[in-house]
C-alpha cells in the first residue's frame, strides 16, 4: 500500500515551505493592500503622537482631566460607598420588584426599605405621607434600578443616581475627546503630510512609519553634514 501523507499536515506544510521557499519569497505582494496597511499604521502612530500629553493643547488636557475626574467619582461611589443598584433577579418583575422607594433608613438593608406597594406603613412623616399611613401602590419602572432618593426626594437611600449622572458625563466627554483628537490629527496631517509608502521590487513595505522616515532623513543629513530636506 502506498503511504499517502495528507497535504494539510504540519510536516507537509514545512516541506512545501522548504522546497518552495525561494519561490514564495519572490512572489509579489499586493501593493494596494501593503500601501493601505502602511498608511493606516503611519496614521495610527501620528494619532498617538498628537494625543500625547506633551503635545496635547490645554483645551484637550482640561477635557481629559474632567473626564477622568467624573469616572473616578463613579468608581468611588460603586466600590466604596456602595448602594448604587437595587437587587433584581432574572425571575423578578419590573412592575412589582422595582417599585419606587417610599422610606429607607440609612445603613439598613434593602429588605427593610418601605416601597409604594400598598402594604408598607410610614414610620414617620415623609414626602407628604403621615406616620402610620400606608404608602399607595405605584408600579415600578426600569429607571428605579438605580438607588437614589425616595420618590418624593425626602430621603436619600443611595448614590446610584449621582453615579449614573457622573458616568454619562464621563462617557460623553470621552467620546468628545476622541473626536477632538481625530480633528487634531487631521489638522496635523494637513501641515505635515504622512510620508509616502516605499515598496521594494516585491511590493513589500520598506518605510512604514513617520519615525522610520525621520530616522532615515536624519541619518542621511548626518552623513553629508547638511540639514534633511523636507
Amino acid at each position: 500500500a502506498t503511504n499517502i501523507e495528507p497535504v494539510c499536515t504540519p510536516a507537509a506544510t514545512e516541506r512545501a515551505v522548504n522546497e518552495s521557499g525561494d519561490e514564495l519569497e519572490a512572489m509579489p505582494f499586493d501593493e494596494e493592500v501593503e500601501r493601505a496597511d502602511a498608511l493606516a499604521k503611519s496614521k495610527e502612530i501620528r494619532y498617538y503622537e498628537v494625543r500625547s500629553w506633551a503635545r496635547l493643547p490645554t483645551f484637550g488636557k482640561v477635557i481629559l482631566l474632567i473626564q477622568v475626574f467624573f469616572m473616578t467619582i463613579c468608581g468611588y461611589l460603586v466600590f466604596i460607598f456602595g448602594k448604587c443598584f437595587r437587587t433584581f433577579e432574572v425571575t423578578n418583575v419590573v412592575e412589582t420588584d422595582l417599585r419606587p422607594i417610599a422610606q429607607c433608613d440609612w445603613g439598613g438593608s434593602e429588605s427593610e426599605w418601605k416601597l409604594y406597594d400598598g402594604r408598607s406603613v410610614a414610620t414617620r412623616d415623609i414626602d407628604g405621607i403621615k406616620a402610620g399611613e400606608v404608602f399607595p401602590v405605584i408600579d415600578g419602572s426600569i429607571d428605579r434600578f438605580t438607588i437614589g432618593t425616595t420618590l418624593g426626594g425626602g430621603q436619600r437611600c443611595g448614590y446610584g443616581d449621582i453615579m449614573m449622572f457622573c458616568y454619562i458625563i464621563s462617557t460623553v466627554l470621552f467620546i468628545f475627546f476622541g473626536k477632538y483628537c481625530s480633528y487634531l490629527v487631521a489638522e496635523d496631517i494637513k501641515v505635515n503630510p504622512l510620508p509616502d509608502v516605499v515598496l521594494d521590487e516585491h511590493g513589500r513595505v520598506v518605510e512604514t512609519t513617520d519615525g522610520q522616515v525621520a530616522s532615515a532623513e536624519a541619518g542621511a543629513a548626518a552623513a553629508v553634514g547638511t540639514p534633511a530636506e523636507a
Side-chain angles (χ1 to χ4, degrees):
T2 303
N3 184 18
I4 301 177
E5 184 179 22
V7 296
C8 60
T9 62
T13 302
E14 182 179 359
R15 185 169 60 253
V17 171
N18 292 333
E19 294 176 353
S20 306
D22 294 338
E23 296 180 12
L24 293 174
E25 187 70 18
M27 290 179 62
F29 283 51
D30 190 320
E31 292 190 7
E32 292 186 3
V33 174
E34 287 290 296
R35 289 182 184 277
D37 289 344
L39 287 174
K41 184 176 181 180
S42 184
K43 187 174 182 179
E44 181 181 6
I45 292 174
R46 182 71 64 87
Y47 177 85
Y48 286 108
E49 290 176 351
V50 173
R51 199 188 66 172
S52 65
W53 187 261
R55 294 188 57 182
L56 194 63
T58 302
F59 177 76
K61 292 179 179 179
V62 171
I63 294 298
L64 185 59
L65 289 174
I66 295 176
Q67 187 268 330
V68 172
F69 171 75
F70 278 105
M71 187 56 68
T72 302
I73 291 179
C74 291
Y76 275 106
L77 291 178
V78 172
F79 297 107
I80 295 182
F81 292 95
K83 284 192 174 182
C84 287
F85 302 102
R86 294 173 66 174
T87 302
F88 190 80
E89 304 292 341
V90 177
T91 55
N92 290 150
V93 179
V94 172
E95 288 74 13
T96 57
D97 294 293
L98 289 182
R99 296 186 187 278
I101 302 172
Q103 184 180 338
C104 61
D105 294 323
W106 187 255
S109 64
E110 184 177 340
S111 60
E112 298 174 347
W113 292 350
K114 300 182 184 301
L115 307 177
Y116 282 89
D117 54 7
R119 300 188 304 272
S120 299
V121 179
T123 59
R124 62 182 179 84
D125 296 349
I126 182 172
D127 297 336
I129 305 295
K130 300 294 184 181
E133 293 182 354
V134 177
F135 291 103
V137 176
I138 300 179
D139 287 341
S141 56
I142 194 64
D143 61 299
R144 300 296 173 183
F145 177 64
T146 57
I147 303 173
T149 63
T150 54
L151 182 62
Q155 187 178 12
R156 176 158 292 282
C157 306
Y159 296 101
D161 54 342
I162 299 177
M163 187 278 297
M164 287 301 299
F165 176 76
C166 293
Y167 177 78
I168 291 173
I169 293 179
S170 178
T171 301
V172 171
L173 290 176
F174 178 78
I175 295 174
F176 177 79
F177 179 75
K179 298 292 185 181
Y180 177 67
C181 288
S182 298
Y183 165 78
L184 293 178
V185 172
E187 293 298 311
D188 187 77
I189 291 176
K190 290 179 181 179
V191 179
N192 302 299
L194 296 175
D196 292 334
V197 179
V198 180
L199 305 177
D200 61 15
E201 65 275 10
H202 299 297
R204 286 169 294 193
V205 175
V206 176
E207 303 288 354
T208 59
T209 67
D210 290 349
Q212 289 176 317
V213 174
S215 177
E217 291 178 344
V224 300
T226 57
E229 294 182 358

